[in-house]
Amino acid sequence: MEDESREQSQSPSTGMRLIVPLQGIVQGRGGLILGSVIPCAMFYFLQFYLKRRRSPPNLPHEQTSNPPSPTPSSSNLTELPRSASRSSLLLSRGSIGRPHVSSRVHSIAKSNDSPYYIGLDKVSADPYDRLNNPNGVIQLGLAENRLTLDLIENWITERLNESILSGIATYQPFDGMTELKVAMAGLMSQVVGRTVTFDPSQIVLTSGATPAIEILCFALADPGNAFLIPAPYYPGFDRDMKWRTGVELIPVHCHFAREKNIHIISDELFAASTFGDEEFVSMAEIIDSEDTDKDRVHIVYGLSKDLSLPGFRVGVIYSYNENVLTVSRKMTRFSPVSAPTQRLVTSMLSDTTFIKNYTEINRERLRAMYDLFVEGLKELGISCTKSSGGLYCWCDMSGLIRPYNEKGELDLWDKLLNVAKINITPGSSCHCIEPGWFRCCFTTLDETDIPVVIERIRLVVETCKSPS
Amino acid sequence: MAIEIVQPSVGLSKIAVSETHGEDSPYFAGWKAYDENPYHEIHNPSGVIQMGLAENQVSFDLLEEYLEANLESANWGQKVSGFRENALFQDYHGILSFRKAMASFMEQVRGGKAKFNPDRVVLTAGATAANELLTFILADPGDALLVPTPYYPGFDRDLRWRTGVQIVPIHCDSLNGFQITPEALEAAYDHATSMNIKVRGVLITNPSNPLGANIQRKVLEQILEFAIQKNIHLVSDEIYSGSAFYADEFVSIAEVLESRNYQDSERCHIVYSLSKDLGLPGFRVGTVYSYNDQVVTTARRMSSFTLISSQTQFLLASMLSDKEFTQKYIKINRERLKKRYEMIINGLKKAGIECLKGKAGLFCWMNLSPYLEEPTIKSELAIWKTIMHEVRLNISPGSSCHCFEPGWFRVCFANMSEETLEVALSRIHEFIKERKQGL
């Protein structure tokens, strides 16, 4: 690439960074080879230099076609009267009497127009319930795993008796209590199958994977720098990585080249939610054999997916770079894990027999639900890429969209949301370059819900196939 | 023979390598001395006594008592389905009952003199996150917030580090008890303007840290007028509101706004937390309360980076909405803090040390200027080092709080037992005695 020579003459502090959501790889779409070959492929990246002067903040869109949507996934919560917010947004900055707010306020309004958030809103406004609201919107757009929560519930009711307050009310280290770091290191080692051991002193705990990723962006990149990110990717990255940090995301479609001297963030949030034939390989296993690359690798983990505890806000930054660890530890003051939760989770993770048992059963249930769901879609003529993990499948509905482009895809999404009343995530929200792909989460469902879902999709499929 | 390839080390961001995290300040150096040699009544009676940490341990027993008596509501107990919903709940609106409880508690702390709407409560994992969040929302990189001196050393990091926002100090001095004056506000604003820096707001802490004093109603009104006139925001960090010794002497900005029928309130925002008043800093419970709809909406979304654990929300919701308990707690907590304060003030007075007359907080603002070699920051730091290494007390020098008058120190008194406080006071007594003989 033409910029290669410029890159080499620049100081090492500039350059590209890469983010690799491994859940996207393990469940790759057609053509990507799964298994241990993938992480090697990840080292080959495009090399181009993108640092520029800090770009001006996004100017407010004076005419927003949709009002800002309130929230993903909420229940019976009262909302502020919308009219005031909307009118404030439409007023230009510096109007008389209104104190100025930062450009970040306006930039967030735009992103909430994404189908990803609109769909989540619709579900919360009218959530499906087998008994009480059988015509509600079915949630297939939220990567939440309800399949194995009963095991955790049982563990809680059987084990939880100690005094809540002893020794945890006072200030704790912001990057987490040592006991939890030790327990977390144990979990990560177990999840990866004991081929590597994770060192507790290289763990920084944060209130969820969301701040973990943001902290790494703050630490590794200046405003205007960019991260390469294989697409399709989790829509939340657009907000989590860019909003306050000012970094850019460059979606990389399909091919990569090796770039020396950039960072790699490996988001391994779904590491234990694998169920296929292909084995999950952590970045930690790869670099174990290549000592020189340690400084550039940072792993993000958490309990929101593998342990179904998204409410508890437990995330992990795992890094081999002492400088990054130092900075991250300081930044956790803005997003630490609540002490009673640390206590509870430490206790649970230290019960290694329970965790082993839980992970195995969870895998079985994931596989079973996946098989059922994919089979159901197959009956409708919809195929999915072969998955090995995650809480969702990647479905090819390109045959149903007309025209064969993003607009056609969004039309289908809209029909599925408003007519069939199922919320799935269109590939365009994930920056997928090929139209017609959809992400469908199946882990919020019960087995008995699947026929309902398939039936609803069938109705729409039929209208798509009939001559217009 | 292999040629060794030297890999250039992979770089970090400017934020990562900057000093803006502020942890090189004496404020933190003192903590290090304590960590290396912590006082313990029995095991290490000659260790360093920690008087640099504003933590409230005086009313802990009341909390423990309540939670033990109400274990059902503290754990999910037999309500298995309650656990499930709780574990999955990651909505940034927060659990409704908890938001209501926070609003209710904030009202109680203000003796019912102001009303709080749960829909304006935005939850964050601590006031640290709340202050940073507000700064991200109210100002762009390069802009400034005006902050009266002396101020909490953590602001240097919390308001500036990742936000790129600057702090321009509003100078206050002992001539009028470090109160904020309209002249000082104007001077700070003009100073910023002369440097081509856009001022976006004033951030006050009321009751003040490190002064341990309430801001008078009249002064609050002047600050509000100033903010209106300049068309900027007013952030009031009221994290110590429940630690004012006399309930009727603390005036919240909320009361001022209510008395004006909320005119001009859209520029006002309150930060609160349970870390000081309730002595639960480990739980990480903070809030942004804003009278501005747009700020509330944005703050909610931004709180995704700093959500409060749903377990913690659940744990505290019923306790905080129990008005009988909270009323009792607030009252007793105030009395105990007052007692502690009187103990330390009298003890210091006997040693020949005067303090600012404050009636709030977990600390007092002590004046050692008569004992400095010279009226300089250098002398202040010299005496601070002596106190740290020889007297073995970790106290916070005023210069680390950006106090421009040398010789003032913040001394915390609520994070230890009465016995330990006696030990600390006798050490100070000895030190001053020797110092007087030496001078």
Side-chain angles (χ1 to χ4, degrees):
Chain A
M1 299 291 286
E2 59 171 1
D3 293 307
E4 223 171 277
S5 52
R6 274 167 72 200
E7 173 58 68
Q8 279 156 10
S9 62
Q10 295 295 332
S11 69
S13 63
T14 59
M16 301 300 298
R17 329 286 182 201
L18 173 83
I19 181 162
V20 179
L22 275 187
Q23 69 270 25
I25 298 309
V26 169
Q27 206 183 250
R29 36 187 298 264
L32 276 177
I33 304 155
L34 303 174
S36 55
V37 177
I38 301 254
C40 298
M42 300 323 302
F43 284 101
Y44 297 86
F45 304 115
L46 284 168
Q47 179 184 184
F48 52 97
Y49 174 61
L50 254 186
K51 181 169 176 177
R52 49 184 184 256
R53 277 181 324 188
R54 196 190 304 148
S55 44
N58 286 331
L59 291 172
H61 282 235
E62 305 289 80
Q63 298 90 30
T64 45
S65 49
N66 291 330
S69 313
T71 171
S73 77
S74 64
S75 52
N76 62 329
L77 292 166
T78 49
E79 279 303 322
L80 294 166
R82 294 269 205 101
S83 51
S85 319
R86 206 185 317 172
S87 62
S88 318
L89 270 181
L90 293 177
L91 283 169
S92 57
R93 280 201 268 164
S95 53
I96 301 156
R98 299 203 102 98
H100 164 91
V101 288
S102 79
S103 54
R104 295 178 189 91
V105 171
H106 305 295
S107 63
I108 196 59
K110 189 166 83 114
S111 83
N112 269 54
D113 292 344
S114 143
Y116 178 68
Y117 291 106
I118 292 176
L120 293 176
D121 272 347
K122 288 261 169 160
V123 173
S124 52
D126 179 20
Y128 168 79
D129 184 286
R130 212 165 298 126
L131 298 166
N132 303 319
N133 190 18
N135 293 319
V137 183
I138 302 183
Q139 177 69 291
L140 301 178
L142 186 63
E144 202 177 72
N145 180 4
R146 296 176 177 238
L147 304 182
T148 324
L149 261 179
D150 55 320
L151 264 66
I152 299 195
E153 278 164 349
N154 292 338
W155 188 94
I156 297 274
T157 41
E158 282 165 27
R159 305 302 177 95
L160 198 62
N161 9 15
E162 60 190 43
S163 158
I164 310 120
L165 290 187
S166 61
I168 57 168
T170 56
Y171 278 105
Q172 305 295 332
F174 284 117
D175 61 319
M177 301 184 212
T178 311
E179 308 90 72
L180 180 50
K181 289 185 183 181
V182 169
M184 186 65 74
L187 173 71
M188 290 167 75
S189 307
Q190 194 239 296
V191 161
V192 163
R194 300 198 186 285
T195 48
V196 292
T197 35
F198 288 88
D199 182 347
S201 68
Q202 289 172 236
I203 288 182
V204 174
L205 295 170
T206 60
S207 51
T210 299
I213 294 260
E214 195 199 31
I215 285 175
L216 283 173
C217 291
F218 269 123
L220 305 179
D222 295 319
N225 287 166
F227 282 84
L228 295 179
I229 175 167
Y233 61 80
Y234 161 56
F237 283 148
D238 284 327
R239 178 202 58 199
D240 299 347
M241 294 178 67
K242 293 167 60 167
W243 195 12
R244 309 193 297 184
T245 63
V247 305
E248 296 293 334
L249 293 182
I250 313 277
V252 175
H253 307 292
C254 293
H255 76 279
F256 317 95
R258 178 166 199 163
E259 152 70 302
K260 287 188 169 51
N261 214 25
I262 62 169
H263 292 277
I264 299 170
I265 301 177
S266 180
D267 183 346
E268 305 190 353
L269 204 54
F270 296 89
S273 302
T274 53
F275 49 77
D277 305 321
E278 290 81 10
E279 200 188 280
F280 166 71
V281 180
S282 165
M283 196 60 81
E285 298 175 69
I286 300 303
I287 68 165
D288 219 34
S289 49
E290 290 182 50
D291 208 50
T292 50
D293 281 306
K294 283 201 148 137
D295 259 8
R296 65 179 81 258
V297 174
H298 322 282
I299 295 172
V300 168
Y301 188 58
L303 302 184
S304 300
K305 312 294 179 182
D306 287 348
L307 247 64
S308 300
L309 299 172
F312 286 10
R313 316 312 304 148
V314 182
V316 179
I317 293 171
Y318 190 88
S319 176
Y320 295 85
N321 184 319
E322 202 42 58
N323 292 327
V324 172
L325 285 175
T326 305
V327 169
S328 302
R329 282 183 198 121
K330 292 185 175 130
M331 287 192 184
T332 53
R333 61 184 307 103
F334 301 111
S335 51
V337 184
S338 184
T341 302
Q342 292 196 52
R343 175 62 65 77
L344 173 60
V345 165
T346 302
S347 197
M348 192 186 296
L349 298 186
S350 308
D351 187 346
T352 47
T353 315
F354 165 72
I355 293 292
K356 190 160 182 292
N357 186 45
Y358 171 88
T359 342
E360 273 167 26
I361 294 183
N362 188 39
R363 285 198 171 111
E364 282 164 21
R365 294 184 184 180
L366 283 172
R367 188 204 315 263
M369 195 63 76
Y370 169 79
D371 286 343
L372 257 178
F373 192 69
V374 166
E375 198 47 49
L377 289 177
K378 204 164 163 194
E379 285 167 25
L380 301 176
I382 296 170
S383 65
C384 302
T385 57
K386 190 164 184 300
S387 267
S388 298
L391 312 181
Y392 31 70
C393 47
W394 189 237
C395 315
D396 185 359
M397 300 195 191
S398 53
L400 303 171
I401 66 175
R402 224 175 286 127
Y404 180 68
N405 59 25
E406 188 177 320
K407 181 176 183 303
E409 176 185 291
L410 290 176
D411 281 347
L412 177 60
W413 166 75
D414 188 80
K415 260 193 221 135
L416 287 165
L417 182 61
N418 293 306
V419 175
K421 298 182 87 177
I422 63 161
N423 178 33
I424 60 178
T425 307
S428 48
S429 294
C430 306
H431 300 269
C432 181
I433 205 170
E434 276 180 33
W437 291 90
F438 286 81
R439 185 191 79 164
C440 304
C441 301
F442 50 78
T443 49
T444 51
L445 304 173
D446 206 280
E447 276 179 26
T448 56
D449 296 324
I450 297 207
V452 178
V453 171
I454 300 298
E455 197 43 45
R456 290 193 188 185
I457 301 179
R458 182 195 304 279
L459 295 169
V460 170
V461 165
E462 248 131 58
T463 63
C464 291
K465 287 187 172 153
S466 61
S468 48
Chain B
M1 182 167 72
I3 300 166
E4 207 187 276
I5 298 167
V6 177
Q7 293 279 8
S9 62
V10 60
L12 299 184
S13 69
K14 294 198 175 84
I15 287 177
V17 302
S18 86
E19 300 290 300
T20 327
H21 54 73
E23 291 195 13
D24 302 327
S25 134
Y27 182 71
F28 298 102
W31 289 21
K32 192 161 171 286
Y34 167 77
D35 284 336
E36 286 164 6
N37 182 17
Y39 171 84
H40 188 277
E41 257 167 13
I42 301 164
H43 304 305
N44 191 16
S46 61
V48 176
I49 298 181
Q50 173 66 289
M51 305 187 89
L53 181 59
E55 205 176 64
N56 180 4
Q57 294 179 15
V58 308
S59 307
F60 207 61
D61 54 317
L62 299 174
L63 290 177
E64 265 183 327
E65 196 185 286
Y66 180 90
L67 285 170
E68 257 151 49
N70 297 277
L71 212 53
E72 260 300 304
S73 56
N75 281 332
W76 300 276
Q78 297 312 308
K79 276 184 64 190
V80 156
S81 64
F83 167 77
R84 174 181 289 247
E85 275 155 32
N86 191 246
L88 294 172
F89 188 88
Q90 51 176 329
D91 181 350
Y92 54 45
H93 281 80
I95 297 178
L96 180 60
S97 59
F98 182 65
R99 253 193 304 130
K100 283 184 169 164
M102 282 297 286
S104 159
F105 188 68
M106 286 168 77
E107 280 175 6
Q108 294 249 285
V109 164
R110 288 154 187 74
K113 288 182 277 174
K115 289 250 154 297
F116 288 92
N117 177 355
D119 290 338
R120 295 195 171 283
V121 171
V122 177
L123 301 171
T124 61
T128 298
N131 279 317
E132 192 200 37
L133 204 104
L134 268 176
T135 307
F136 269 122
I137 292 174
L138 305 180
D140 288 308
D143 291 347
L145 292 178
L146 304 182
V147 183
T149 66
Y151 61 77
Y152 162 55
F155 281 159
D156 284 328
R157 177 195 45 216
D158 300 346
L159 307 180
R160 301 187 316 161
W161 192 20
R162 306 192 302 181
T163 62
V165 170
Q166 311 185 55
I167 294 177
V168 172
I170 302 166
H171 294 309
C172 302
D173 57 56
S174 60
L175 291 175
N176 69 344
F178 294 95
Q179 288 181 76
I180 302 160
T181 63
E183 295 74 34
L185 287 165
E186 288 288 346
Y189 188 90
D190 291 341
H191 180 62
T193 319
S194 71
M195 295 193 292
N196 274 323
I197 298 172
K198 293 204 186 75
V199 175
R200 296 301 184 193
V202 178
L203 190 145
I204 58 176
T205 306
N206 178 29
S208 159
N209 176 8
L211 301 175
N214 297 311
I215 299 184
Q216 294 167 24
R217 188 186 192 103
K218 185 186 79 184
V219 177
L220 284 176
E221 285 166 352
Q222 286 170 342
I223 299 172
L224 179 58
E225 271 315 308
F226 174 78
I228 293 168
Q229 188 207 63
K230 305 289 186 201
N231 194 20
I232 59 179
H233 294 274
L234 171 54
V235 177
S236 181
D237 184 343
E238 303 190 349
I239 198 178
Y240 293 99
S241 43
S243 307
F245 312 145
Y246 304 94
D248 51 1
E249 292 196 9
F250 166 70
V251 179
S252 165
I253 193 72
E255 296 172 52
V256 173
L257 293 172
E258 205 160 289
S259 65
R260 304 160 53 100
N261 265 319
Y262 298 106
Q263 212 184 23
D264 299 303
S265 63
E266 76 195 350
R267 65 188 68 255
C268 299
H269 326 277
I270 297 175
V271 167
Y272 188 59
S273 153
L274 301 183
S275 299
K276 311 296 181 182
D277 293 345
L278 231 60
L280 296 175
F283 280 39
R284 312 314 304 146
V285 178
T287 164
V288 169
Y289 187 92
S290 176
Y291 295 89
N292 181 316
D293 290 357
Q294 196 180 31
V295 171
V296 172
T297 307
T298 310
R300 281 245 164 79
R301 291 178 186 148
M302 217 182 257
S303 69
S304 304
F305 296 109
T306 184
L307 297 176
I308 301 179
S309 167
S310 54
Q311 175 202 11
T312 302
Q313 293 186 51
F314 181 83
L315 201 81
L316 297 177
S318 46
M319 185 179 85
L320 287 182
S321 10
D322 184 337
K323 291 207 170 118
E324 203 189 299
F325 167 73
T326 54
Q327 207 156 5
K328 178 182 108 180
Y329 176 92
I330 291 166
K331 180 162 174 284
I332 296 179
N333 184 47
R334 288 197 210 275
E335 282 163 12
R336 290 181 183 180
L337 287 174
K338 174 163 156 262
K339 184 162 168 247
R340 266 315 160 90
Y341 173 76
E342 279 163 4
M343 189 178 151
I344 195 176
I345 294 296
N346 292 331
L348 290 174
K349 201 161 186 181
K350 283 202 194 100
I353 299 174
E354 293 293 324
C355 296
L356 180 75
K357 204 163 161 63
K359 296 182 188 168
L362 312 177
F363 33 72
C364 59
W365 189 234
M366 175 172 85
N367 186 6
L368 287 184
S369 56
Y371 301 100
L372 296 187
E373 302 249 344
E374 296 162 349
T376 61
I377 302 285
K378 188 156 173 260
S379 287
E380 175 187 289
L381 290 175
I383 206 177
W384 166 72
K385 280 205 179 97
T386 308
I387 294 175
M388 186 161 73
H389 295 299
E390 291 170 28
V391 187
R392 278 160 290 116
L393 298 177
N394 177 32
I395 60 180
S396 309
S399 50
S400 66
C401 304
H402 300 274
C403 182
F404 281 78
E405 278 179 39
W408 292 88
F409 289 82
R410 187 191 79 167
V411 185
C412 299
F413 54 72
N415 60 318
M416 62 188 73
S417 65
E418 277 186 18
E419 291 75 29
T420 307
L421 185 54
E422 291 289 3
V423 173
L425 287 169
S426 65
R427 287 189 191 177
I428 295 180
H429 210 273
E430 270 313 300
F431 169 69
I432 295 292
K433 205 165 87 181
E434 282 167 26
R435 193 89 175 178
K436 276 185 181 158
Q437 286 165 358
L439 278 175

